Amino acid sequence: MAILMDGKALSDQVKAAIQADVLKITETRKPKLAVVLVGDDPASQIYVQSKIKACQQVGIESVAKVFDADITQIELLVALKRLNQDTTVDGILVQLPLPKHLDEQEVMLNISPEKDVDGFHPLNVGRLHLRQATFVPATPKGIIALIKAYNIDLEGKDVLVIGRSNLVGRPIAQLLLNENATVTIAHSRTQDLKQLTKAADVIVAAAGVMHLIQPDTIKAGVVLIDVGIHRDSNGKLTGDVAPSCYEKASYYTPVPKGVGPMTIAMLLKNTMQAYQRQVKQHEV
Ligand code: NAD
């Protein structure tokens, strides 16, 4: 019987622990996350709202800085500088994607690495690759937390990561390597994906292709981690893994209520980490 990895339940536990930690804070100042949104993309608006709501649930303060889509690069960098200097703000995240005329890489570079709770600043990306303490991007961090919560042993396992984005594929591959897995990364130019999926003990599907993984392309007992989010023809949320694969797996994450809720919980965790660091720095 395949075991469902319940990301919703685990994320609720993580959030409850954070809420308890926030209640224990004796400082006059509570943790605070600043979320920067440029333009009026509906999906980005929903993501920002859900992050702010999650902060409220656990007692983390939040502020949304919303700018018109035609903001200039310089104006955005000035706004980030203010947030970097604001000692009441612990974490800063810029909701991506940004409008085309803005330089995302330069924007990331201008978030203070100490407040970069998304872990996208090049310094933090480098730290992750060097196995140094850093902010680990929320989705990969959530995946590792789920795998650990279900005591799945990664050591020496053949793990296939499908997707090589900066947001998911690359950082999760690095984290899995740090857990002593033998990691293969597949991507859009991979020639024989089926051969790789059939051989894998664990598959992390982050290609953004609905139902890319089918039952005849996996081996029995595989662990299926599904990062993809899609709407099927009935408007129901689904992932990169066809649900018909589940019965062949040993463990699997559903969509929804798998990886998705873990992402937000890990963002809150990173914000707490930023707060604790900042408070420590100002201790005399
Ligand atoms: P992306 O488009 O930036 O990257 C997709 C990657 O998949 C690319 O590296 C590409 O080379 C690879 N790819 C595409 N088609 C492929 C194929 N047929 N075979 C093998 N590789 C292929 O996407 P992303 O930002 O990494 O997100 C991936 C998916 O995860 C999306 O569905 C996204 O909505 C979802 N996502 C979910 C969460 C969450 O919290 N659950 C977070 C981030 C992204």
Side-chain angles (χ1 to χ4, degrees):
M1 247 301 256
I3 295 173
L4 180 151
M5 299 167 78
D6 192 340
K8 171 76 173 62
L10 183 60
S11 71
D12 285 344
Q13 282 174 29
V14 172
K15 285 198 266 184
I18 293 172
Q19 189 175 23
D21 286 346
V22 173
L23 283 172
K24 275 187 236 151
I25 290 172
T26 51
E27 325 288 328
T28 46
R29 191 175 78 71
K30 297 273 187 208
K32 187 163 160 187
L33 175 69
V35 184
V36 176
L37 174 64
V38 180
D40 51 12
D41 174 59
S44 292
Q45 282 175 338
I46 290 170
Y47 290 138
V48 165
Q49 278 161 14
S50 59
K51 287 167 189 177
I52 287 180
K53 195 174 142 208
C55 284
Q56 284 165 352
Q57 276 174 352
V58 301
I60 290 178
E61 287 176 11
S62 59
V63 53
K65 297 277 178 192
V66 183
F67 300 102
D68 291 339
D70 62 359
I71 188 173
T72 66
Q73 180 83 4
I74 296 287
E75 284 167 338
L76 184 56
L77 297 188
V78 168
L80 285 175
K81 193 172 179 186
R82 276 202 203 105
L83 292 173
N84 287 335
Q85 289 170 344
D86 185 340
T87 51
T88 70
V89 169
D90 303 289
I92 303 170
L93 74 80
V94 176
Q95 186 63 43
L96 300 179
L98 290 171
K100 290 276 175 288
H101 68 281
L102 297 171
D103 179 347
E104 250 173 44
Q105 285 191 14
E106 195 189 21
V107 169
M108 291 303 127
L109 206 53
N110 280 274
I111 297 174
S112 160
E114 280 67 44
K115 298 189 178 189
D116 169 39
V117 285
D118 263 342
F120 294 161
H121 189 288
L123 189 69
N124 288 326
V125 175
R127 284 175 175 152
L128 178 69
H129 284 251
L130 296 170
R131 283 185 282 173
Q132 296 172 0
T134 185
F135 291 111
V136 176
T139 302
K141 183 170 175 157
I143 293 171
I144 295 291
L146 253 179
I147 290 176
K148 290 199 167 166
Y150 283 83
N151 293 316
I152 296 168
D153 186 17
L154 290 168
E155 184 145 332
K157 295 284 161 57
D158 286 326
V159 181
L160 176 65
V161 174
I162 311 176
R164 57 175 167 181
S165 70
N166 292 340
L167 190 68
V168 188
R170 285 168 199 262
I172 189 60
Q174 193 62 47
L175 291 174
L176 292 162
L177 188 61
N178 293 351
E179 297 294 328
N180 297 318
T182 303
V183 182
T184 303
I185 306 174
H187 48 79
S188 51
R189 312 274 173 93
T190 296
Q191 293 207 347
D192 192 349
L193 183 65
K194 255 189 194 179
Q195 187 202 344
L196 297 174
T197 55
K198 276 184 170 169
D201 301 315
V202 180
I203 297 174
V204 179
V209 179
M210 189 165 87
H211 299 177
L212 176 68
I213 307 297
Q214 293 288 331
D216 62 332
T217 63
I218 54 172
K219 72 176 177 190
V222 66
V223 175
L224 295 171
I225 308 289
D226 194 352
V227 187
I229 307 176
H230 313 277
R231 270 194 200 279
D232 68 12
S233 51
N234 300 318
K236 268 181 63 188
L237 285 179
T238 189
D240 282 9
V241 176
S244 49
C245 293
Y246 296 162
E247 62 183 29
K248 216 173 162 184
S250 55
Y251 294 86
Y252 70 95
T253 63
V255 178
K257 301 190 177 173
V259 173
M262 290 303 293
T263 297
I264 294 227
M266 293 300 127
L267 171 67
L268 300 176
K269 228 176 163 174
N270 282 352
T271 305
M272 283 300 280
Q273 185 186 323
Y275 171 78
Q276 278 149 359
R277 248 193 231 172
Q278 177 128 257
V279 165
K280 230 182 202 168
Q281 253 178 25
H282 290 101
E283 271 173 8
V284 266

